[in-house]
Amino acid sequence: MSTTSDAVPHRPRRGPEVLTVLGVSLGMSGIFALLTFLRAEVTVPGGISATTATVVSGRQTTAMWLDILDDLARLAAGVMPALLALALLSRDPAGRGLGIGTHRWHRGSDLATGVGFAALIGIPGLALVWAAHEVGVSASLAVVNFPDVWYRVPMLLLSAFQNGFLEEVVVVGYLLTRLQQLGWSSRKALVASAVLRGSYHLYQGLGGFVGNLVMGLIFGWWFQRTKRVVPLVVAHTLLDAFAFVGYLFLRDHISWL
């Protein structure tokens, strides 16, 4: 007669879990972005370079407070996959920091690291966006399509945080942790994470894919050595905050935006 002690130890089914998390978040975003890219190349004269990509948008009707609630609800929905990933990490590998360094928040050094990464990625990134537009492999960027209302900048800043939190927790912290547990080599896992990051930016064209692929390689490489995701969230939030708010002031002065 078998006893409880004779039971086979439970082994987490990490592969299906990873596919499910990506399937309700950025994995599907990558598929939709690829389809958008292919549709533009096949159906639009001039291909992706003849289209315009919008990164963040907001609603405006005659019911302002309903618009605000609608925008906030969309932001909340955007962070849910990251919260799901954190909940799963709290069960496996569990422990302090969940394997991604969440217990090691050093305000000064993490902010400094985030600012450094933002500068490292952001400055060359602008050059890449310009170059990709000039050679015709990227869409024109209408970065922000948000009505000129009093809460526009706060909502854009919240959108920047949502992007940073979602992408760095899921694509870096969660995915690289799980792929390591599944026995993937560090290099293979790093490339997979970076390709995923690039894939859901394909709606911007090949420039968006390549730029975010490089960003993914840098962020992922650093995470694999430090197991800390918070500075990456800070860096990504700063990058998007400068992109969103800066666009409002620069769009009338730069032709390729």
Side-chain angles (χ1 to χ4, degrees):
M1 179 181 296
S2 63
T3 63
T4 303
S5 60
D6 297 325
V8 177
H10 172 69
R11 294 184 179 181
R13 302 185 63 187
R14 299 188 181 106
E17 178 199 288
V18 169
L19 292 176
T20 301
V21 171
L22 296 183
V24 298
S25 60
L26 295 166
M28 289 305 301
S29 296
I31 292 174
F32 286 127
L34 174 60
L35 292 174
T36 297
F37 174 79
L38 293 176
R39 181 179 295 275
E41 289 295 307
V42 171
T43 66
V44 177
I48 192 71
S49 62
T51 66
T52 299
T54 300
V55 180
V56 60
S57 60
R59 296 187 58 175
Q60 182 178 28
T61 66
T62 57
M64 180 186 65
W65 290 107
L66 289 176
D67 295 340
I68 293 174
L69 291 174
D70 183 74
D71 291 333
L72 289 174
R74 286 190 293 152
L75 290 173
V79 303
M80 287 303 166
L83 295 179
L84 171 62
L86 290 177
L88 293 169
L89 290 174
S90 71
R91 300 174 61 185
D92 172 30
R96 295 186 65 198
L98 312 182
I100 59 174
T102 55
H103 66 298
R104 293 185 293 173
W105 163 244
H106 306 294
R107 182 169 56 186
S109 62
D110 283 355
L111 287 175
T113 302
V115 170
F117 272 128
L120 175 67
I121 300 296
I123 296 173
L126 283 174
L128 178 62
V129 170
W130 172 82
H133 181 267
E134 290 298 303
V135 299
V137 296
S138 286
S140 298
L141 290 179
V143 180
V144 175
N145 180 21
F146 206 101
D148 187 7
V149 289
W150 64 266
Y151 58 88
R152 176 167 62 174
V153 170
M155 204 65 74
L156 292 178
L157 295 178
L158 286 174
S159 295
F161 172 75
Q162 176 223 290
N163 290 347
F165 183 64
L166 170 64
E167 294 185 37
E168 303 314 322
V169 169
V170 173
V171 178
V172 176
Y174 170 78
L175 184 59
L176 289 178
T177 298
R178 283 292 186 261
L179 293 181
Q180 180 185 37
Q181 292 174 321
L182 287 167
W184 288 40
S185 68
S186 295
R187 180 176 299 180
K188 184 179 177 182
L190 176 61
V191 171
S193 173
V195 169
L196 173 61
R197 186 190 296 266
S199 72
Y200 54 79
H201 290 91
L202 268 172
Y203 71 96
Q204 300 173 12
L206 292 179
F209 173 82
V210 173
N212 282 278
L213 174 71
V214 173
M215 176 178 171
L217 291 172
I218 295 172
F219 279 17
W221 175 87
W222 187 84
F223 174 80
Q224 287 178 328
R225 281 148 184 78
T226 64
K227 300 300 181 184
R228 298 180 63 201
V229 78
V230 172
L232 302 180
V233 174
V234 172
H236 196 141
T237 300
L238 290 174
L239 283 168
D240 280 9
F242 283 121
F244 297 166
V245 178
Y247 174 81
L248 299 178
F249 298 98
L250 297 176
R251 59 183 172 184
D252 295 327
H253 306 285
I254 298 180
S255 61
W256 44 273
L257 286 178

